[in-house]
Amino acid sequence: MGCLVSTPQDSGGNRRRPGSIGEVSVYVPGFRIPKPVDFSLSLGDQLPKNLMERLSALRTRVVVMAGQEAPTVSRTRRKSATQHGGSTLADLHQALQDYLPVLLGLVKDGSQLQHNVQFAWMNQEDEAEETAISNAWYEVLSVLHLMAMLSLSQANLLLLPRTSCDGYQPKVSEENRRASVDIFLKAAGYLDCAVRHVLPQFPTSLREDLPVDLAEGVLRALCLQALGQGVDIQLGMAIDSAKATLAVKRRLACEMVKYWQQAQDNIMNLPLANGWGEKHRLFIKWKYVEAKAAAYYYHGLILDEGNTEKSHGMAVAALQAADEYFKESKRSCEAFNAASPLSRNPPLWGTMKYLSEKIPKDTSSKVRINRDLYSHEKIMETAPTLPDFSLALKPDEFQLPPVVPSWNEDNVGGGQASSNHLKGERR
């Protein structure tokens, strides 16, 4: 009937919350981990035995692999072996992809079977230890969320600097950076599909009872976070390219500001619990401030190319803003890493390695030169407005896969859902 059961935090649950998650280039909020389900009890004789066994086997595979892999991933290390022969991010992702088209049979054509099974998942950002809902759309939503988190985890592993064979300081290869952008777009696609195509399937009352880590604001923030980090990688590659102009770099930096600002707008007023949720909010705040430092830096350099006293005065104000935001970003970074679970920064690389050297140096020299040349009245006390560019990076288009052919009207019971099954009732 779409009923919901939440297990409170003080119930002695076993939510997996490590004390430390190691190095973080991409923050991945705590994984949602599925709990076992006995399909035979809830579906009885309404499904053929072979379909029941297939559905059960696919979900059991996900449960086992997620239980083994998720705690490992959160510490940025992988287990060497499991009963599945070396469970990795890719293996778990494939298991979810295999499960989804079979799972979708439970919601095919509004089947009442969607309300027969109570699906339970352990929450991470919500105060409740776990949430169980008798609605297969909840399972679909949870699967898409986990697929997105696996993608973000994969991107994090790609973007942790490795010591190169030549012995120089750790770095991230161009190949890994390019691959990470594709992964960010894929993660954003899963989350965009969840918001646009799965959440609307829930009655309003049930949407309001979803755990906060599946709230629309969190899903949208995660989508925008993925896009913002994708643009960050693009900016880093532009910095390394001799062909990329200041205008191109400024545009990328300004777009990055908009992604992070929208991410912050979506998450700032949600009741995120201490721990994963609060750390998630701090990560977005840090990256938003960091993006503003980059945008004001490049905006200042372009303004400084002008030939008027006004443009030089605006350039000084923009560069001063960049320097202030850069200092604030370091404080925000420290607050993020200090929040539980503890984390640390990998060696600086990419956009911020370059800007950490350039912003203080260029701000100091250009401010000094312009203050010597122009009167104080010609220098703005507040930073000029950043240019407003349309956002170019979009999520990959992800569509829910077609239901496997074994779900058909001849051998599956359930029929159409009656109106009373569309109401979410809390118990």
Side-chain angles (χ1 to χ4, degrees):
M1 295 288 292
C3 61
L4 174 148
V5 177
S6 291
T7 306
Q9 192 169 4
D10 59 3
S11 64
N14 62 342
R15 173 164 33 187
R16 301 169 189 270
R17 181 176 287 171
S20 173
I21 54 175
E23 292 185 341
V24 172
S25 282
V26 180
Y27 179 61
V28 183
F31 276 57
R32 308 188 74 252
I33 302 173
K35 305 285 284 185
V37 166
D38 188 340
F39 287 102
S40 62
L41 287 178
S42 47
L43 294 175
D45 58 358
Q46 298 181 75
L47 288 183
K49 183 179 179 182
N50 63 334
L51 186 55
M52 180 92 72
E53 289 177 346
R54 184 179 181 187
L55 188 62
S56 181
L58 288 169
R59 192 178 194 278
T60 299
R61 180 180 173 218
V62 169
V63 169
V64 172
M65 294 177 71
Q68 293 172 334
E69 191 67 21
T72 304
V73 172
S74 68
R75 295 190 299 269
T76 66
R77 296 194 298 270
R78 299 188 187 190
K79 286 187 176 181
S80 57
T82 71
Q83 70 186 74
H84 290 277
S87 171
T88 66
L89 294 175
D91 293 331
L92 180 50
H93 194 278
Q94 185 60 54
L96 291 164
Q97 286 184 305
D98 293 342
Y99 174 49
L100 193 54
V102 182
L103 166 66
L104 286 169
L106 290 176
V107 297
K108 177 185 176 185
D109 300 327
S111 169
Q112 67 181 26
L113 293 179
Q114 69 176 277
H115 305 283
N116 286 28
V117 184
Q118 187 176 75
F119 293 100
W121 287 69
M122 288 177 60
N123 308 318
Q124 293 290 354
E125 292 189 322
D126 197 79
E127 289 185 356
E129 282 291 345
E130 65 181 63
T131 302
I133 300 179
S134 298
N135 190 318
W137 282 114
Y138 173 63
E139 179 83 344
V140 174
L141 184 61
S142 298
V143 166
L144 289 179
H145 181 275
L146 184 50
M147 289 170 68
M149 295 306 98
L150 289 170
S151 298
L152 293 180
S153 296
Q154 185 180 3
N156 185 53
L157 291 172
L158 287 174
L159 297 177
L160 292 178
R162 306 298 180 194
T163 303
S164 56
C165 55
D166 56 15
Y168 288 100
Q169 67 180 42
K171 60 183 180 181
V172 178
S173 69
E174 183 172 345
E175 178 184 2
N176 279 11
R177 287 191 282 175
R178 292 187 182 280
S180 72
V181 174
D182 293 336
I183 293 170
F184 283 130
L185 297 184
K186 186 180 295 185
Y190 298 142
L191 294 160
D192 185 59
C193 176
V195 169
R196 295 196 298 117
H197 300 298
V198 179
L199 278 182
Q201 305 295 332
F202 289 85
T204 302
S205 59
L206 195 52
R207 282 182 67 167
E208 294 172 351
D209 276 332
L210 288 172
V212 72
D213 45 6
L214 291 182
E216 182 175 348
V218 171
L219 297 177
R220 289 187 181 277
L222 283 167
C223 180
L224 291 157
Q225 171 184 328
L227 297 174
Q229 295 210 258
V231 177
D232 191 0
I233 301 303
Q234 290 181 330
L235 176 57
M237 291 191 289
I239 289 171
D240 291 343
S241 171
K243 296 180 179 179
T245 63
L246 278 179
V248 167
K249 297 170 189 173
R250 180 179 67 173
R251 177 175 184 129
L252 287 170
C254 288
E255 288 182 35
M256 186 162 59
V257 169
K258 289 180 70 173
Y259 284 120
W260 287 111
Q261 180 179 16
Q262 291 178 24
Q264 182 167 274
D265 290 345
N266 275 282
I267 205 172
M268 64 186 302
N269 294 320
L270 291 173
L272 294 172
N274 288 335
W276 291 111
E278 181 59 26
K279 195 171 182 74
H280 190 189
R281 204 195 316 264
L282 289 170
F283 180 75
I284 290 176
K285 177 184 177 182
W286 163 32
K287 289 298 179 181
Y288 177 37
V289 175
E290 194 175 80
K292 287 196 282 189
Y296 275 108
Y297 173 71
Y298 284 112
H299 190 40
L301 293 186
I302 288 180
L303 289 171
D304 199 48
E305 292 180 339
N307 295 318
T308 66
E309 288 190 18
K310 181 180 179 181
S311 66
H312 289 296
M314 292 172 66
V316 169
L319 290 170
Q320 287 177 322
D323 193 49
E324 287 302 314
Y325 280 123
F326 175 68
K327 292 173 183 174
E328 185 183 345
S329 76
K330 290 197 288 187
R331 294 191 294 269
S332 297
C333 174
E334 290 172 1
F336 163 74
N337 285 325
S340 178
L342 301 177
S343 57
R344 63 182 183 274
N345 284 0
L348 270 182
W349 63 276
T351 303
M352 286 317 294
K353 182 178 189 303
Y354 176 82
L355 294 179
S356 67
E357 299 166 355
K358 299 292 288 184
I359 288 178
K361 178 182 176 182
D362 286 357
T363 300
S364 176
S365 63
K366 290 185 182 296
V367 167
R368 185 178 63 253
I369 292 171
N370 283 292
R371 284 198 185 280
D372 290 343
L373 291 175
Y374 305 111
S375 66
H376 180 74
E377 289 73 18
K378 296 295 183 181
I379 298 177
M380 295 176 62
E381 292 299 325
T382 57
T385 303
L386 291 171
D388 185 14
F389 297 105
S390 58
L391 298 174
L393 212 57
K394 304 294 183 186
D396 279 353
E397 185 176 350
F398 176 79
Q399 296 181 345
L400 293 174
V403 176
V404 293
S406 51
W407 285 94
N408 60 69
E409 295 179 2
D410 294 333
N411 61 5
V412 177
Q416 297 296 313
S418 58
S419 59
N420 65 320
H421 282 107
L422 296 179
K423 300 176 182 177
E425 299 177 2
R426 185 169 187 152
R427 107 178 160 210

